[in-house]
Amino acid sequence: MALAYDMPASGPRVRDDMTVEVALSVMAGARVEYLLLCDGDDQCTGSVTRAELAVHRDSATYTDRVRLRDIVLDLSH
């Protein structure tokens, strides 16, 4: 996950409570490789790539209820 100061200047912005499955669909529809993550106050808090989401989706612990904020927490450790 990219930190706020490392993020691209523009791109699709989504809320961090979106599920991984929906995020992957948004990426496919928008034909992008990353999404900018926003909190409840619409402040950008990071970004996530399609490759990062694919790793989590393919893990043994993945469920369709995993939210982007859960992924961000895992990536920051």
Side-chain angles (χ1 to χ4, degrees):
M1 177 196 78
L3 299 175
Y5 52 84
D6 292 334
M7 289 188 306
S10 65
R13 296 167 54 116
V14 298
R15 296 273 306 263
D16 63 2
D17 61 350
M18 179 180 282
T19 65
V20 169
E21 291 300 318
V22 173
L24 287 167
S25 292
V26 168
M27 287 179 175
R31 298 181 182 180
V32 297
E33 292 297 318
Y34 69 92
L35 296 172
L36 300 176
L37 302 178
C38 298
D39 62 15
D41 295 326
D42 202 32
Q43 298 296 312
C44 280
T45 58
S47 66
V48 65
T49 66
R50 186 184 306 224
E52 290 169 336
L53 294 182
V55 167
H56 286 278
R57 185 187 58 201
D58 295 338
S59 76
T61 59
Y62 177 77
T63 71
D64 61 356
R65 294 184 178 177
V66 174
R67 308 258 175 215
L68 294 177
R69 70 171 62 108
D70 302 328
I71 301 296
V72 172
L73 291 174
D74 285 347
L75 293 173
S76 66
H77 289 108

Short mmCIF file of all heavy atoms in Angstrom, two decimals:
data_model
loop_
_atom_site.label_atom_id
_atom_site.label_comp_id
_atom_site.label_asym_id
_atom_site.label_seq_id
_atom_site.Cartn_x
_atom_site.Cartn_y
_atom_site.Cartn_z
N MET A 1 0.85 -1.18 0.00
CA MET A 1 0.00 0.00 0.00
C MET A 1 0.89 1.23 0.00
O MET A 1 1.86 1.30 0.72
CB MET A 1 -0.88 0.02 1.24
CG MET A 1 -1.71 1.28 1.29
SD MET A 1 -2.45 1.64 2.88
CE MET A 1 -1.06 2.31 3.75
N ALA A 2 0.53 2.20 -0.79
CA ALA A 2 1.26 3.46 -0.83
C ALA A 2 0.73 4.38 0.25
O ALA A 2 -0.46 4.42 0.54
CB ALA A 2 1.08 4.12 -2.20
N LEU A 3 1.64 5.10 0.87
CA LEU A 3 1.24 6.11 1.85
C LEU A 3 0.77 7.35 1.13
O LEU A 3 1.02 7.53 -0.06
CB LEU A 3 2.41 6.44 2.76
CG LEU A 3 2.94 5.25 3.57
CD1 LEU A 3 4.18 5.66 4.33
CD2 LEU A 3 1.89 4.71 4.50
N ALA A 4 0.09 8.23 1.85
CA ALA A 4 -0.51 9.42 1.24
C ALA A 4 0.49 10.23 0.43
O ALA A 4 0.18 10.69 -0.65
CB ALA A 4 -1.17 10.28 2.31
N TYR A 5 1.71 10.40 0.92
CA TYR A 5 2.68 11.23 0.19
C TYR A 5 3.31 10.51 -1.00
O TYR A 5 3.95 11.13 -1.82
CB TYR A 5 3.77 11.75 1.13
CG TYR A 5 4.45 10.70 1.96
CD1 TYR A 5 5.51 9.96 1.47
CD2 TYR A 5 4.00 10.44 3.26
CE1 TYR A 5 6.12 8.99 2.22
CE2 TYR A 5 4.61 9.46 4.02
CZ TYR A 5 5.67 8.75 3.51
OH TYR A 5 6.26 7.79 4.27
N ASP A 6 3.11 9.18 -1.11
CA ASP A 6 3.64 8.42 -2.22
C ASP A 6 2.59 8.16 -3.31
O ASP A 6 2.90 7.57 -4.33
CB ASP A 6 4.13 7.05 -1.74
CG ASP A 6 5.36 7.14 -0.86
OD1 ASP A 6 6.10 8.13 -0.99
OD2 ASP A 6 5.56 6.23 -0.04
N MET A 7 1.36 8.59 -3.09
CA MET A 7 0.25 8.25 -3.98
C MET A 7 0.29 9.04 -5.27
O MET A 7 0.78 10.16 -5.31
CB MET A 7 -1.09 8.52 -3.30
CG MET A 7 -1.39 7.56 -2.20
SD MET A 7 -3.05 7.78 -1.58
CE MET A 7 -3.11 9.49 -1.18
N PRO A 8 -0.24 8.43 -6.33
CA PRO A 8 -0.40 9.19 -7.57
C PRO A 8 -1.35 10.37 -7.33
O PRO A 8 -2.18 10.33 -6.42
CB PRO A 8 -1.05 8.18 -8.51
CG PRO A 8 -0.88 6.85 -7.88
CD PRO A 8 -0.71 7.07 -6.42
N ALA A 9 -1.22 11.38 -8.15
CA ALA A 9 -2.02 12.59 -7.96
C ALA A 9 -3.49 12.38 -8.31
O ALA A 9 -4.36 13.06 -7.77
CB ALA A 9 -1.45 13.73 -8.79
N SER A 10 -3.78 11.47 -9.22
CA SER A 10 -5.16 11.25 -9.60
C SER A 10 -5.42 9.78 -9.86
O SER A 10 -4.50 9.00 -10.01
CB SER A 10 -5.49 12.07 -10.85
OG SER A 10 -4.73 11.59 -11.94
N GLY A 11 -6.67 9.46 -9.91
CA GLY A 11 -7.08 8.09 -10.16
C GLY A 11 -8.42 7.85 -9.52
O GLY A 11 -8.95 8.71 -8.80
N PRO A 12 -8.99 6.69 -9.75
CA PRO A 12 -10.28 6.38 -9.14
C PRO A 12 -10.18 6.36 -7.62
O PRO A 12 -9.28 5.75 -7.05
CB PRO A 12 -10.59 4.98 -9.68
CG PRO A 12 -9.71 4.80 -10.86
CD PRO A 12 -8.51 5.63 -10.62
N ARG A 13 -11.11 7.05 -6.98
CA ARG A 13 -11.15 7.14 -5.51
C ARG A 13 -12.31 6.30 -5.01
O ARG A 13 -13.42 6.41 -5.51
CB ARG A 13 -11.32 8.58 -5.07
CG ARG A 13 -10.17 9.47 -5.44
CD ARG A 13 -10.48 10.94 -5.28
NE ARG A 13 -10.96 11.28 -3.97
CZ ARG A 13 -10.33 12.08 -3.11
NH1 ARG A 13 -9.20 12.62 -3.46
NH2 ARG A 13 -10.83 12.33 -1.94
N VAL A 14 -12.03 5.46 -4.01
CA VAL A 14 -13.07 4.63 -3.42
C VAL A 14 -12.95 4.69 -1.90
O VAL A 14 -11.89 5.02 -1.36
CB VAL A 14 -12.97 3.16 -3.90
CG1 VAL A 14 -13.18 3.07 -5.41
CG2 VAL A 14 -11.66 2.51 -3.49
N ARG A 15 -14.05 4.34 -1.23
CA ARG A 15 -14.04 4.28 0.23
C ARG A 15 -13.33 3.02 0.69
O ARG A 15 -13.41 1.98 0.04
CB ARG A 15 -15.47 4.29 0.76
CG ARG A 15 -16.24 5.56 0.47
CD ARG A 15 -16.05 6.64 1.52
NE ARG A 15 -16.33 6.19 2.86
CZ ARG A 15 -17.49 6.37 3.51
NH1 ARG A 15 -18.48 7.00 2.91
NH2 ARG A 15 -17.64 5.93 4.74
N ASP A 16 -12.68 3.10 1.83
CA ASP A 16 -11.94 1.95 2.33
C ASP A 16 -12.83 0.85 2.91
O ASP A 16 -12.35 -0.21 3.28
CB ASP A 16 -10.87 2.38 3.34
CG ASP A 16 -11.43 3.04 4.58
OD1 ASP A 16 -12.67 3.15 4.74
OD2 ASP A 16 -10.62 3.47 5.43
N ASP A 17 -14.15 1.09 2.96
CA ASP A 17 -15.06 0.04 3.43
C ASP A 17 -15.59 -0.83 2.28
O ASP A 17 -16.37 -1.74 2.49
CB ASP A 17 -16.21 0.62 4.24
CG ASP A 17 -17.09 1.58 3.46
OD1 ASP A 17 -16.73 1.98 2.33
OD2 ASP A 17 -18.15 1.96 3.99
N MET A 18 -15.12 -0.59 1.08
CA MET A 18 -15.50 -1.39 -0.09
C MET A 18 -14.87 -2.78 0.04
O MET A 18 -13.76 -2.92 0.55
CB MET A 18 -14.98 -0.70 -1.35
CG MET A 18 -15.28 -1.44 -2.63
SD MET A 18 -14.62 -0.55 -4.07
CE MET A 18 -15.85 0.73 -4.23
N THR A 19 -15.58 -3.81 -0.43
CA THR A 19 -15.01 -5.15 -0.40
C THR A 19 -13.98 -5.32 -1.51
O THR A 19 -13.99 -4.59 -2.51
CB THR A 19 -16.09 -6.24 -0.55
OG1 THR A 19 -16.68 -6.14 -1.84
CG2 THR A 19 -17.14 -6.15 0.54
N VAL A 20 -13.12 -6.30 -1.31
CA VAL A 20 -12.09 -6.60 -2.31
C VAL A 20 -12.73 -6.97 -3.64
O VAL A 20 -12.28 -6.51 -4.70
CB VAL A 20 -11.16 -7.72 -1.80
CG1 VAL A 20 -10.25 -8.23 -2.91
CG2 VAL A 20 -10.35 -7.23 -0.62
N GLU A 21 -13.79 -7.77 -3.61
CA GLU A 21 -14.44 -8.19 -4.85
C GLU A 21 -14.98 -7.00 -5.64
O GLU A 21 -14.82 -6.92 -6.85
CB GLU A 21 -15.57 -9.17 -4.56
CG GLU A 21 -15.10 -10.52 -4.08
CD GLU A 21 -14.19 -11.22 -5.06
OE1 GLU A 21 -14.45 -11.21 -6.28
OE2 GLU A 21 -13.20 -11.81 -4.60
N VAL A 22 -15.62 -6.07 -4.95
CA VAL A 22 -16.16 -4.88 -5.62
C VAL A 22 -15.01 -4.02 -6.15
O VAL A 22 -15.06 -3.52 -7.27
CB VAL A 22 -17.09 -4.08 -4.69
CG1 VAL A 22 -17.50 -2.76 -5.33
CG2 VAL A 22 -18.31 -4.91 -4.32
N ALA A 23 -13.95 -3.88 -5.36
CA ALA A 23 -12.80 -3.09 -5.80
C ALA A 23 -12.18 -3.68 -7.07
O ALA A 23 -11.84 -2.94 -7.99
CB ALA A 23 -11.76 -3.02 -4.69
N LEU A 24 -12.05 -4.99 -7.12
CA LEU A 24 -11.51 -5.62 -8.32
C LEU A 24 -12.41 -5.39 -9.52
O LEU A 24 -11.94 -5.16 -10.64
CB LEU A 24 -11.28 -7.12 -8.08
CG LEU A 24 -10.10 -7.44 -7.17
CD1 LEU A 24 -10.15 -8.90 -6.74
CD2 LEU A 24 -8.79 -7.12 -7.85
N SER A 25 -13.72 -5.39 -9.31
CA SER A 25 -14.66 -5.10 -10.40
C SER A 25 -14.53 -3.66 -10.86
O SER A 25 -14.58 -3.38 -12.06
CB SER A 25 -16.10 -5.37 -9.94
OG SER A 25 -16.31 -6.73 -9.74
N VAL A 26 -14.37 -2.74 -9.92
CA VAL A 26 -14.19 -1.32 -10.27
C VAL A 26 -12.92 -1.15 -11.10
O VAL A 26 -12.92 -0.46 -12.12
CB VAL A 26 -14.15 -0.43 -9.00
CG1 VAL A 26 -13.68 0.98 -9.32
CG2 VAL A 26 -15.51 -0.41 -8.33
N MET A 27 -11.85 -1.79 -10.67
CA MET A 27 -10.59 -1.71 -11.41
C MET A 27 -10.75 -2.25 -12.83
O MET A 27 -10.25 -1.65 -13.79
CB MET A 27 -9.49 -2.48 -10.69
CG MET A 27 -8.98 -1.83 -9.45
SD MET A 27 -7.72 -2.90 -8.74
CE MET A 27 -7.17 -1.87 -7.40
N ALA A 28 -11.42 -3.38 -12.95
CA ALA A 28 -11.61 -3.97 -14.28
C ALA A 28 -12.45 -3.05 -15.16
O ALA A 28 -12.11 -2.82 -16.33
CB ALA A 28 -12.29 -5.34 -14.16
N GLY A 29 -13.52 -2.49 -14.60
CA GLY A 29 -14.38 -1.60 -15.37
C GLY A 29 -13.70 -0.31 -15.77
O GLY A 29 -13.91 0.21 -16.87
N ALA A 30 -12.88 0.21 -14.87
CA ALA A 30 -12.17 1.46 -15.14
C ALA A 30 -10.85 1.23 -15.89
O ALA A 30 -10.19 2.19 -16.29
CB ALA A 30 -11.90 2.21 -13.84
N ARG A 31 -10.46 -0.03 -16.01
CA ARG A 31 -9.21 -0.40 -16.66
C ARG A 31 -8.01 0.31 -16.04
O ARG A 31 -7.19 0.94 -16.72
CB ARG A 31 -9.28 -0.15 -18.15
CG ARG A 31 -10.34 -0.98 -18.81
CD ARG A 31 -10.41 -0.77 -20.27
NE ARG A 31 -11.51 -1.59 -20.80
CZ ARG A 31 -11.85 -1.64 -22.04
NH1 ARG A 31 -11.22 -0.92 -22.93
NH2 ARG A 31 -12.85 -2.40 -22.42
N VAL A 32 -7.94 0.18 -14.71
CA VAL A 32 -6.83 0.77 -13.96
C VAL A 32 -6.15 -0.31 -13.13
O VAL A 32 -6.72 -1.37 -12.88
CB VAL A 32 -7.31 1.92 -13.05
CG1 VAL A 32 -7.88 3.07 -13.86
CG2 VAL A 32 -8.32 1.43 -12.03
N GLU A 33 -4.96 -0.04 -12.70
CA GLU A 33 -4.18 -0.98 -11.89
C GLU A 33 -4.16 -0.63 -10.41
O GLU A 33 -3.63 -1.40 -9.61
CB GLU A 33 -2.74 -1.07 -12.41
CG GLU A 33 -2.65 -1.71 -13.77
CD GLU A 33 -3.10 -3.17 -13.76
OE1 GLU A 33 -2.76 -3.90 -12.81
OE2 GLU A 33 -3.82 -3.57 -14.69
N TYR A 34 -4.71 0.52 -10.03
CA TYR A 34 -4.72 0.92 -8.63
C TYR A 34 -5.97 1.75 -8.34
O TYR A 34 -6.61 2.29 -9.23
CB TYR A 34 -3.47 1.73 -8.27
CG TYR A 34 -3.46 3.09 -8.93
CD1 TYR A 34 -3.98 4.20 -8.28
CD2 TYR A 34 -2.94 3.25 -10.21
CE1 TYR A 34 -4.00 5.44 -8.90
CE2 TYR A 34 -2.96 4.48 -10.82
CZ TYR A 34 -3.49 5.57 -10.16
OH TYR A 34 -3.50 6.79 -10.77
N LEU A 35 -6.29 1.82 -7.05
CA LEU A 35 -7.37 2.69 -6.56
C LEU A 35 -6.83 3.53 -5.43
O LEU A 35 -6.01 3.07 -4.63
CB LEU A 35 -8.54 1.85 -6.02
CG LEU A 35 -9.28 0.97 -7.02
CD1 LEU A 35 -10.26 0.07 -6.28
CD2 LEU A 35 -10.00 1.82 -8.05
N LEU A 36 -7.27 4.78 -5.36
CA LEU A 36 -6.96 5.63 -4.22
C LEU A 36 -8.00 5.35 -3.14
O LEU A 36 -9.20 5.33 -3.42
CB LEU A 36 -7.00 7.10 -4.62
CG LEU A 36 -6.02 7.52 -5.72
CD1 LEU A 36 -6.23 8.98 -6.08
CD2 LEU A 36 -4.59 7.27 -5.28
N LEU A 37 -7.55 5.14 -1.91
CA LEU A 37 -8.46 4.84 -0.81
C LEU A 37 -8.78 6.09 -0.02
O LEU A 37 -7.88 6.88 0.28
CB LEU A 37 -7.83 3.80 0.11
CG LEU A 37 -7.45 2.48 -0.56
CD1 LEU A 37 -6.78 1.55 0.45
CD2 LEU A 37 -8.65 1.83 -1.18
N CYS A 38 -10.05 6.26 0.32
CA CYS A 38 -10.50 7.41 1.09
C CYS A 38 -11.22 6.94 2.35
O CYS A 38 -11.90 5.91 2.34
CB CYS A 38 -11.45 8.27 0.26
SG CYS A 38 -10.68 8.94 -1.21
N ASP A 39 -11.09 7.71 3.40
CA ASP A 39 -11.78 7.39 4.64
C ASP A 39 -13.18 7.99 4.62
O ASP A 39 -13.62 8.54 3.61
CB ASP A 39 -10.97 7.86 5.85
CG ASP A 39 -10.76 9.37 5.89
OD1 ASP A 39 -11.46 10.12 5.17
OD2 ASP A 39 -9.89 9.81 6.66
N GLY A 40 -13.88 7.92 5.74
CA GLY A 40 -15.24 8.43 5.85
C GLY A 40 -15.35 9.93 5.65
O GLY A 40 -16.43 10.45 5.36
N ASP A 41 -14.24 10.65 5.81
CA ASP A 41 -14.22 12.10 5.60
C ASP A 41 -13.76 12.47 4.20
O ASP A 41 -13.44 13.62 3.92
CB ASP A 41 -13.30 12.77 6.63
CG ASP A 41 -13.81 12.61 8.04
OD1 ASP A 41 -15.04 12.62 8.23
OD2 ASP A 41 -12.98 12.47 8.96
N ASP A 42 -13.67 11.48 3.31
CA ASP A 42 -13.24 11.65 1.92
C ASP A 42 -11.80 12.15 1.81
O ASP A 42 -11.43 12.81 0.84
CB ASP A 42 -14.20 12.57 1.15
CG ASP A 42 -14.12 12.34 -0.35
OD1 ASP A 42 -13.84 11.20 -0.76
OD2 ASP A 42 -14.31 13.31 -1.11
N GLN A 43 -10.99 11.78 2.78
CA GLN A 43 -9.56 12.11 2.75
C GLN A 43 -8.80 10.90 2.24
O GLN A 43 -9.03 9.78 2.69
CB GLN A 43 -9.05 12.47 4.15
CG GLN A 43 -9.72 13.68 4.76
CD GLN A 43 -9.43 14.94 3.95
OE1 GLN A 43 -8.28 15.20 3.60
NE2 GLN A 43 -10.46 15.69 3.65
N CYS A 44 -7.91 11.11 1.27
CA CYS A 44 -7.11 10.00 0.76
C CYS A 44 -6.18 9.49 1.85
O CYS A 44 -5.49 10.25 2.50
CB CYS A 44 -6.29 10.44 -0.44
SG CYS A 44 -7.27 10.48 -1.94
N THR A 45 -6.20 8.18 2.04
CA THR A 45 -5.39 7.56 3.08
C THR A 45 -4.36 6.59 2.53
O THR A 45 -3.53 6.10 3.27
CB THR A 45 -6.30 6.81 4.08
OG1 THR A 45 -7.06 5.83 3.36
CG2 THR A 45 -7.22 7.77 4.80
N GLY A 46 -4.41 6.30 1.25
CA GLY A 46 -3.47 5.36 0.65
C GLY A 46 -3.96 4.91 -0.70
O GLY A 46 -4.90 5.48 -1.26
N SER A 47 -3.33 3.88 -1.20
CA SER A 47 -3.76 3.30 -2.46
C SER A 47 -3.53 1.80 -2.40
O SER A 47 -2.78 1.30 -1.55
CB SER A 47 -3.00 3.91 -3.64
OG SER A 47 -1.63 3.57 -3.58
N VAL A 48 -4.19 1.09 -3.28
CA VAL A 48 -4.03 -0.36 -3.34
C VAL A 48 -4.02 -0.76 -4.81
O VAL A 48 -4.70 -0.16 -5.64
CB VAL A 48 -5.17 -1.06 -2.56
CG1 VAL A 48 -6.52 -0.84 -3.18
CG2 VAL A 48 -4.88 -2.53 -2.36
N THR A 49 -3.18 -1.74 -5.14
CA THR A 49 -3.06 -2.18 -6.52
C THR A 49 -3.83 -3.47 -6.75
O THR A 49 -4.15 -4.20 -5.81
CB THR A 49 -1.59 -2.43 -6.90
OG1 THR A 49 -1.10 -3.54 -6.14
CG2 THR A 49 -0.72 -1.19 -6.65
N ARG A 50 -4.08 -3.74 -8.00
CA ARG A 50 -4.74 -4.98 -8.38
C ARG A 50 -3.92 -6.18 -7.93
O ARG A 50 -4.46 -7.17 -7.45
CB ARG A 50 -4.94 -5.02 -9.89
CG ARG A 50 -5.75 -6.20 -10.36
CD ARG A 50 -5.83 -6.25 -11.86
NE ARG A 50 -6.30 -4.99 -12.42
CZ ARG A 50 -7.20 -4.90 -13.38
NH1 ARG A 50 -7.72 -5.98 -13.90
NH2 ARG A 50 -7.56 -3.73 -13.84
N ALA A 51 -2.61 -6.09 -8.06
CA ALA A 51 -1.73 -7.20 -7.65
C ALA A 51 -1.82 -7.46 -6.15
O ALA A 51 -1.86 -8.61 -5.71
CB ALA A 51 -0.29 -6.90 -8.05
N GLU A 52 -1.87 -6.39 -5.35
CA GLU A 52 -2.01 -6.55 -3.90
C GLU A 52 -3.32 -7.23 -3.54
O GLU A 52 -3.37 -8.13 -2.69
CB GLU A 52 -1.91 -5.20 -3.19
CG GLU A 52 -0.53 -4.60 -3.22
CD GLU A 52 -0.50 -3.15 -2.77
OE1 GLU A 52 -1.52 -2.44 -2.84
OE2 GLU A 52 0.59 -2.72 -2.35
N LEU A 53 -4.39 -6.82 -4.21
CA LEU A 53 -5.70 -7.42 -3.93
C LEU A 53 -5.74 -8.88 -4.37
O LEU A 53 -6.33 -9.72 -3.68
CB LEU A 53 -6.80 -6.63 -4.63
CG LEU A 53 -7.01 -5.21 -4.11
CD1 LEU A 53 -8.17 -4.56 -4.87
CD2 LEU A 53 -7.27 -5.19 -2.62
N ALA A 54 -5.11 -9.19 -5.48
CA ALA A 54 -5.09 -10.57 -5.97
C ALA A 54 -4.39 -11.50 -4.99
O ALA A 54 -4.84 -12.63 -4.77
CB ALA A 54 -4.42 -10.63 -7.34
N VAL A 55 -3.31 -11.04 -4.38
CA VAL A 55 -2.60 -11.85 -3.38
C VAL A 55 -3.53 -12.19 -2.23
O VAL A 55 -3.61 -13.34 -1.79
CB VAL A 55 -1.34 -11.12 -2.87
CG1 VAL A 55 -0.78 -11.79 -1.64
CG2 VAL A 55 -0.29 -11.05 -3.97
N HIS A 56 -4.26 -11.21 -1.74
CA HIS A 56 -5.17 -11.45 -0.62
C HIS A 56 -6.36 -12.32 -1.04
O HIS A 56 -6.79 -13.19 -0.28
CB HIS A 56 -5.64 -10.13 -0.01
CG HIS A 56 -4.59 -9.49 0.80
ND1 HIS A 56 -4.33 -9.85 2.09
CD2 HIS A 56 -3.68 -8.53 0.48
CE1 HIS A 56 -3.32 -9.14 2.55
NE2 HIS A 56 -2.92 -8.33 1.59
N ARG A 57 -6.88 -12.10 -2.22
CA ARG A 57 -8.02 -12.88 -2.69
C ARG A 57 -7.64 -14.35 -2.83
O ARG A 57 -8.46 -15.23 -2.61
CB ARG A 57 -8.52 -12.34 -4.02
CG ARG A 57 -9.79 -13.06 -4.48
CD ARG A 57 -10.20 -12.67 -5.85
NE ARG A 57 -9.11 -12.97 -6.76
CZ ARG A 57 -8.94 -12.42 -7.93
NH1 ARG A 57 -9.79 -11.53 -8.38
NH2 ARG A 57 -7.93 -12.74 -8.70
N ASP A 58 -6.41 -14.63 -3.18
CA ASP A 58 -5.96 -16.00 -3.38
C ASP A 58 -5.47 -16.68 -2.11
O ASP A 58 -5.08 -17.84 -2.14
CB ASP A 58 -4.86 -16.04 -4.45
CG ASP A 58 -5.38 -15.61 -5.82
OD1 ASP A 58 -6.61 -15.69 -6.05
OD2 ASP A 58 -4.56 -15.19 -6.65
N SER A 59 -5.49 -15.98 -0.98
CA SER A 59 -5.02 -16.57 0.28
C SER A 59 -6.07 -17.51 0.87
O SER A 59 -7.26 -17.41 0.58
CB SER A 59 -4.66 -15.47 1.29
OG SER A 59 -5.83 -14.91 1.84
N ALA A 60 -5.62 -18.39 1.72
CA ALA A 60 -6.51 -19.38 2.35
C ALA A 60 -7.49 -18.74 3.33
O ALA A 60 -8.56 -19.31 3.59
CB ALA A 60 -5.67 -20.43 3.08
N THR A 61 -7.18 -17.58 3.86
CA THR A 61 -8.04 -16.93 4.85
C THR A 61 -9.03 -15.95 4.25
O THR A 61 -9.82 -15.35 4.96
CB THR A 61 -7.18 -16.18 5.90
OG1 THR A 61 -6.38 -15.20 5.22
CG2 THR A 61 -6.29 -17.14 6.66
N TYR A 62 -9.02 -15.81 2.93
CA TYR A 62 -9.88 -14.83 2.26
C TYR A 62 -11.35 -15.23 2.31
O TYR A 62 -11.70 -16.40 2.15
CB TYR A 62 -9.45 -14.66 0.81
CG TYR A 62 -10.35 -13.72 0.06
CD1 TYR A 62 -10.24 -12.36 0.24
CD2 TYR A 62 -11.34 -14.20 -0.79
CE1 TYR A 62 -11.07 -11.48 -0.42
CE2 TYR A 62 -12.18 -13.33 -1.46
CZ TYR A 62 -12.04 -11.98 -1.27
OH TYR A 62 -12.87 -11.11 -1.91
N THR A 63 -12.21 -14.24 2.55
CA THR A 63 -13.66 -14.41 2.38
C THR A 63 -14.16 -13.23 1.57
O THR A 63 -13.46 -12.21 1.42
CB THR A 63 -14.42 -14.43 3.73
OG1 THR A 63 -14.42 -13.12 4.29
CG2 THR A 63 -13.80 -15.42 4.69
N ASP A 64 -15.39 -13.32 1.06
CA ASP A 64 -15.92 -12.22 0.26
C ASP A 64 -16.35 -11.03 1.10
O ASP A 64 -16.86 -10.04 0.57
CB ASP A 64 -17.07 -12.69 -0.63
CG ASP A 64 -18.25 -13.23 0.17
OD1 ASP A 64 -18.16 -13.32 1.41
OD2 ASP A 64 -19.26 -13.58 -0.46
N ARG A 65 -16.12 -11.08 2.38
CA ARG A 65 -16.44 -9.96 3.28
C ARG A 65 -15.23 -9.09 3.62
O ARG A 65 -15.36 -8.12 4.35
CB ARG A 65 -17.07 -10.48 4.56
CG ARG A 65 -18.41 -11.12 4.31
CD ARG A 65 -19.05 -11.54 5.58
NE ARG A 65 -20.36 -12.11 5.29
CZ ARG A 65 -21.14 -12.61 6.19
NH1 ARG A 65 -20.75 -12.65 7.45
NH2 ARG A 65 -22.30 -13.11 5.86
N VAL A 66 -14.06 -9.44 3.11
CA VAL A 66 -12.85 -8.68 3.40
C VAL A 66 -12.98 -7.30 2.77
O VAL A 66 -13.31 -7.16 1.60
CB VAL A 66 -11.60 -9.41 2.88
CG1 VAL A 66 -10.36 -8.55 3.05
CG2 VAL A 66 -11.43 -10.74 3.59
N ARG A 67 -12.74 -6.29 3.58
CA ARG A 67 -12.82 -4.89 3.14
C ARG A 67 -11.42 -4.36 2.83
O ARG A 67 -10.42 -4.86 3.32
CB ARG A 67 -13.44 -4.03 4.24
CG ARG A 67 -14.75 -4.56 4.75
CD ARG A 67 -15.87 -3.79 4.17
NE ARG A 67 -17.14 -4.38 4.57
CZ ARG A 67 -18.19 -4.41 3.81
NH1 ARG A 67 -18.14 -3.88 2.61
NH2 ARG A 67 -19.31 -4.94 4.22
N LEU A 68 -11.37 -3.32 2.02
CA LEU A 68 -10.08 -2.72 1.67
C LEU A 68 -9.33 -2.25 2.91
O LEU A 68 -8.11 -2.39 2.97
CB LEU A 68 -10.28 -1.56 0.69
CG LEU A 68 -10.80 -1.98 -0.68
CD1 LEU A 68 -11.03 -0.74 -1.54
CD2 LEU A 68 -9.88 -2.96 -1.35
N ARG A 69 -10.03 -1.72 3.90
CA ARG A 69 -9.34 -1.26 5.10
C ARG A 69 -8.64 -2.43 5.80
O ARG A 69 -7.61 -2.24 6.44
CB ARG A 69 -10.28 -0.53 6.04
CG ARG A 69 -11.30 -1.39 6.73
CD ARG A 69 -12.07 -0.66 7.82
NE ARG A 69 -12.83 0.45 7.35
CZ ARG A 69 -14.16 0.47 7.26
NH1 ARG A 69 -14.87 -0.57 7.65
NH2 ARG A 69 -14.78 1.52 6.83
N ASP A 70 -9.19 -3.65 5.70
CA ASP A 70 -8.54 -4.82 6.28
C ASP A 70 -7.25 -5.14 5.54
O ASP A 70 -6.26 -5.53 6.16
CB ASP A 70 -9.46 -6.04 6.22
CG ASP A 70 -10.78 -5.81 6.95
OD1 ASP A 70 -10.80 -5.05 7.95
OD2 ASP A 70 -11.81 -6.38 6.51
N ILE A 71 -7.25 -4.99 4.24
CA ILE A 71 -6.07 -5.22 3.43
C ILE A 71 -5.00 -4.19 3.76
O ILE A 71 -3.83 -4.52 3.93
CB ILE A 71 -6.40 -5.13 1.91
CG1 ILE A 71 -7.44 -6.14 1.53
CG2 ILE A 71 -5.14 -5.26 1.07
CD1 ILE A 71 -7.05 -7.57 1.69
N VAL A 72 -5.39 -2.95 3.90
CA VAL A 72 -4.46 -1.86 4.21
C VAL A 72 -3.79 -2.14 5.53
O VAL A 72 -2.58 -1.96 5.67
CB VAL A 72 -5.19 -0.49 4.22
CG1 VAL A 72 -4.28 0.60 4.73
CG2 VAL A 72 -5.68 -0.17 2.82
N LEU A 73 -4.53 -2.60 6.52
CA LEU A 73 -3.94 -2.92 7.82
C LEU A 73 -2.92 -4.03 7.69
O LEU A 73 -1.86 -3.98 8.28
CB LEU A 73 -5.02 -3.31 8.83
CG LEU A 73 -5.94 -2.18 9.26
CD1 LEU A 73 -7.07 -2.74 10.15
CD2 LEU A 73 -5.18 -1.10 9.97
N ASP A 74 -3.20 -5.05 6.89
CA ASP A 74 -2.25 -6.14 6.68
C ASP A 74 -1.00 -5.67 5.96
O ASP A 74 0.10 -6.10 6.28
CB ASP A 74 -2.89 -7.27 5.85
CG ASP A 74 -3.87 -8.10 6.65
OD1 ASP A 74 -3.88 -7.99 7.89
OD2 ASP A 74 -4.61 -8.88 6.02
N LEU A 75 -1.15 -4.80 4.98
CA LEU A 75 -0.01 -4.32 4.21
C LEU A 75 0.90 -3.41 5.01
O LEU A 75 2.08 -3.28 4.71
CB LEU A 75 -0.49 -3.59 2.96
CG LEU A 75 -1.19 -4.45 1.90
CD1 LEU A 75 -1.76 -3.56 0.81
CD2 LEU A 75 -0.25 -5.49 1.34
N SER A 76 0.38 -2.77 6.03
CA SER A 76 1.18 -1.82 6.81
C SER A 76 2.05 -2.51 7.85
O SER A 76 2.90 -1.89 8.46
CB SER A 76 0.28 -0.77 7.48
OG SER A 76 -0.54 -1.39 8.46
N HIS A 77 1.86 -3.82 8.06
CA HIS A 77 2.66 -4.55 9.06
C HIS A 77 3.82 -5.25 8.45
O HIS A 77 3.95 -5.54 7.36
CB HIS A 77 1.78 -5.55 9.80
CG HIS A 77 0.82 -4.88 10.70
ND1 HIS A 77 -0.52 -4.84 10.43
CD2 HIS A 77 0.98 -4.20 11.84
CE1 HIS A 77 -1.15 -4.19 11.39
NE2 HIS A 77 -0.26 -3.78 12.24
#
